[in-house]
Amino acid sequence: MVLKERQDGVLVLTLNRPEKLNAITGELLDALYAALKEGEEDREVRALLLTGAGRAFSAGQDLTEFGDRKPDYEAHLRRYNRVVEALSGLEKPLVVAVNGAAAGAGMSLALWGDLRLAAVGASFTPAFVRIGLVPDSGLSFLLPRLVGLAKAQELLLLSPRLSAEEALALGLVHRVVPAERLMEEALSLAKELAQGPTRAYALTKKLLLETYRLSLTEALALEAVLQGQAGQTQDHEEGVRAFREKRPPRFQGR
C-alpha cells in the first residue's frame, strides 16, 4: 500500500495502488499513518517525501471500499484525521511530489506538504461536492489559508479541475517541473532539507500553524518561547560557529 525507501536522510513514501489511481482505503490510511510515525521516530530520517505510484498522486477515497452498504463517514474519517494530524504535526520537513491527478482527499493530503512540487500534466480537483459531500481531511482548514476565503469558496463550491500551472498561480504548489524530472527535483529538495537544522524546522512549522489563531502580542510571545528552545540546540551552536568561521554549517539535526 505504501512503499518506503531511505536515501541520504530522506524517507520516501509512495502511495502504491497505481491500478486504482492510488485511491484511498482504510488499509492505505493505516499504512500511511504507520509510515509517517516511523519517519517521525527514526532519528536517521530528517526529511520525508510523499508521492504516488503510476499516473496519479491519488484519486481520493475509493468509494468501492464500502460495497453496497451506506458508509459511516464520521467513523471512517477518524482514520483520515489521525493521518492529517500526523502530517500537520510532523516535526520534520515534508516534500510532496504530485505526479498526476490529486482529487478529493488526495488533494487534501497533497496540500499538507511543507514544500509541494507538481509535474507538468498534474491536476488538482476538490471533488467533494461532485458526490454531494463536504471537504474533509483538513481541506476546509488548509485551503482558505493557502488561497484566501473567497477563492477557497469558489474552488470548493465549483470544484474545477486545476492544472499544475493554475495551482502554481494560486499558491497551491511551489514549483511545476517536467514529469520526467519530478522525482529528481523533489528528492534533491528533500535531501537539502535533510541537511538542515531539523529542530528549527519543527519549531518554525509549529509557529506558522499556531500564529493563525493568535493575536500579535500572543504571536510575539510564542516566537520568544520557541526562539529560546531553538537557541538551546546544537545546530544553533554550529550555525553560529560556522558563521564566525566563514564556512557552511554542518547541521546534525540536534
Side-chain angles (χ1 to χ4, degrees):
M1 287 287 178
V2 176
L3 302 178
K4 296 179 288 186
E5 180 185 1
R6 285 171 168 76
Q7 291 194 42
D8 299 330
V10 177
L11 178 61
V12 181
L13 304 178
T14 304
L15 305 178
N16 191 38
R17 299 187 74 214
E19 73 286 356
K20 296 291 187 179
L21 301 180
N22 300 316
I24 300 168
T25 62
E27 187 179 354
L28 185 146
L29 287 169
D30 291 346
L32 179 56
Y33 177 77
L36 290 169
K37 298 308 288 184
E38 179 182 326
E40 182 77 278
E41 294 167 5
D42 188 341
R43 294 193 65 175
E44 298 302 313
V45 172
R46 293 176 56 194
L48 292 87
L49 194 164
L50 177 63
T51 191
R55 58 192 179 92
F57 177 78
S58 174
Q61 172 63 40
D62 187 345
L63 295 174
T64 66
E65 177 182 22
F66 304 118
D68 295 328
R69 61 188 170 86
K70 193 172 184 64
D72 181 349
Y73 282 117
E74 189 171 354
H76 185 60
L77 282 177
R78 294 191 190 107
R79 298 172 96 167
Y80 274 99
N81 292 348
R82 71 173 189 162
V83 170
V84 170
E85 288 173 352
L87 288 168
S88 65
L90 196 63
E91 292 198 347
K92 298 171 183 180
L94 172 66
V95 176
V96 171
V98 182
N99 52 302
M107 176 174 171
S108 303
L109 295 182
L111 295 185
W112 280 106
D114 300 309
L115 294 174
R116 303 174 296 277
L117 284 69
V120 173
S123 63
F124 296 80
T125 312
F128 293 98
V129 296
R130 296 188 180 188
I131 54 172
L133 293 177
V134 302
D136 62 33
S137 308
L139 193 60
S140 66
F141 175 91
L142 190 56
L143 194 59
R145 287 163 170 77
L146 293 176
V147 302
L149 179 60
K151 195 64 181 180
Q153 287 176 317
E154 178 187 355
L155 295 178
L156 293 175
L157 297 181
L158 299 180
S159 194
R161 181 181 180 276
L162 300 172
S163 68
E165 292 75 17
E166 289 171 324
L168 178 65
L170 287 173
L172 296 178
V173 297
H174 298 93
R175 302 178 190 175
V176 174
V177 299
E180 65 274 13
R181 286 175 38 212
L182 176 67
M183 285 305 294
E184 177 187 350
E185 294 211 15
L187 189 55
S188 175
L189 186 57
K191 287 180 179 180
E192 179 182 340
L193 292 168
Q195 299 303 310
T198 310
R199 187 62 183 154
Y201 290 151
L203 294 173
T204 298
K205 291 173 62 170
K206 180 177 181 179
L207 187 62
L208 291 174
L209 197 60
E210 289 289 324
T211 50
Y212 271 105
R213 64 179 183 83
L214 301 179
S215 67
L216 173 59
T217 299
E218 292 168 328
L220 291 172
L222 182 60
E223 285 180 347
V225 170
L226 298 187
Q227 194 71 290
Q229 294 178 24
Q232 298 301 312
T233 63
Q234 294 178 30
D235 280 343
H236 171 60
E237 293 176 5
E238 164 61 12
V240 172
R241 189 160 47 244
F243 176 79
R244 289 173 175 165
E245 296 173 2
K246 296 182 171 55
R247 60 169 175 81
R250 295 184 290 271
F251 295 122
Q252 300 298 315
R254 298 184 176 89

